[in-house]
Amino acid sequence: SSCGRALGCCESAMALSEKARFLYDAVLKPQTDAEKARRFFPMLRKWAETGKEYRGEVYSSAEVEEAIAAFERSAAPRNVPSPQQQKTEWWPRWALNKARGVEVLAPLKGKTGWTQATPIALGYSGQKKCFLFVRSESFEMDCRRSEVRPVGGGRTAQQQMEDLISRGHRPENHKDWTDGSDITMSD
């Protein structure tokens, strides 16, 4: 319930150091959903790594990780995913084309919008394959299928998967889809 989640948020945030609590309260907690907040993780880590100031303070990697861990505890699902949800994730092959690139829904300059990025890895080491790791000159982030579309616009990878399934096809049996096991993504 939202009551339980709110209580979990408060409990997680109360045990934080002052700077970690600020990051949690000012950056992560205000986001409308967990996925939007997670888009800020690479940026916060980069700030800690480079010593970038945010609102007059410099944050250590430990403080950033403390805020992220508190957020993840507060956003943890309250139920166990079904075996269907745990299955390997499938992506359209165009989304893994480094030369062409993709457009991703990214938080830039205070608002979310579509911007071009280069796909780097699908489910990189230690990460689930439901994420496509992308990079641009100004950010790097993990994206879900619903946040990735071809350069120039069009339907997202998630919408394309729904279209495929609605036509009676399955991505694991379709030549234009991959779970990444048959692709090597190199620079």
Side-chain angles (χ1 to χ4, degrees):
S1 75
S2 60
C3 221
R5 177 165 180 212
L7 181 59
C9 289
C10 295
E11 289 170 354
S12 294
M14 293 196 60
L16 298 177
S17 67
E18 184 179 339
K19 286 184 175 181
R21 179 174 307 155
F22 177 79
L23 290 174
Y24 177 87
D25 289 338
V27 178
L28 302 175
K29 189 175 162 189
Q31 303 308 311
T32 55
D33 65 53
E35 289 311 309
K36 287 182 181 171
R38 287 184 182 108
R39 292 181 191 152
F40 286 88
F41 292 3
M43 177 187 67
L44 292 174
R45 288 178 173 128
K46 189 72 166 177
W47 287 357
E49 181 184 308
T50 61
K52 179 177 167 67
E53 273 191 29
Y54 177 65
R55 296 199 183 168
E57 296 284 344
V58 175
Y59 299 87
S60 70
S61 292
E63 291 161 337
V64 166
E65 294 304 325
E66 186 182 358
I68 288 171
F71 179 80
E72 289 294 8
R73 284 191 303 272
S74 72
R78 303 296 184 237
N79 56 7
V80 177
S82 70
Q84 181 69 19
Q85 292 169 321
Q86 294 174 2
K87 286 189 176 178
T88 304
E89 294 284 338
W90 292 83
W91 283 83
R93 291 185 186 276
W94 59 257
L96 306 178
N97 184 328
K98 282 187 167 189
R100 183 177 298 155
V102 295
E103 286 185 1
V104 297
L105 200 53
L108 299 170
K109 297 180 183 175
K111 57 184 172 181
T112 302
W114 292 101
T115 188
Q116 193 162 350
T118 302
I120 300 300
L122 178 58
Y124 60 90
S125 180
Q127 182 60 274
K128 296 178 182 172
K129 290 191 178 194
C130 61
F131 294 106
L132 177 65
F133 182 65
V134 300
R135 183 177 292 145
S136 79
E137 288 182 19
S138 58
F139 67 88
E140 50 184 42
M141 65 186 268
D142 295 316
C143 302
R144 293 189 180 279
R145 280 190 308 259
S146 60
E147 302 164 333
V148 178
R149 71 181 188 187
V151 172
R155 298 182 61 73
T156 66
Q158 181 64 35
Q159 290 168 327
Q160 290 183 20
M161 176 178 264
E162 291 166 2
D163 293 345
L164 182 74
I165 292 170
S166 72
R167 292 190 308 266
H169 300 286
R170 302 196 44 87
E172 59 266 30
N173 301 327
H174 200 280
K175 66 178 177 52
D176 294 333
W177 288 78
T178 182
D179 65 355
S181 63
D182 62 343
I183 291 179
T184 302
M185 295 185 75
S186 57
D187 289 326

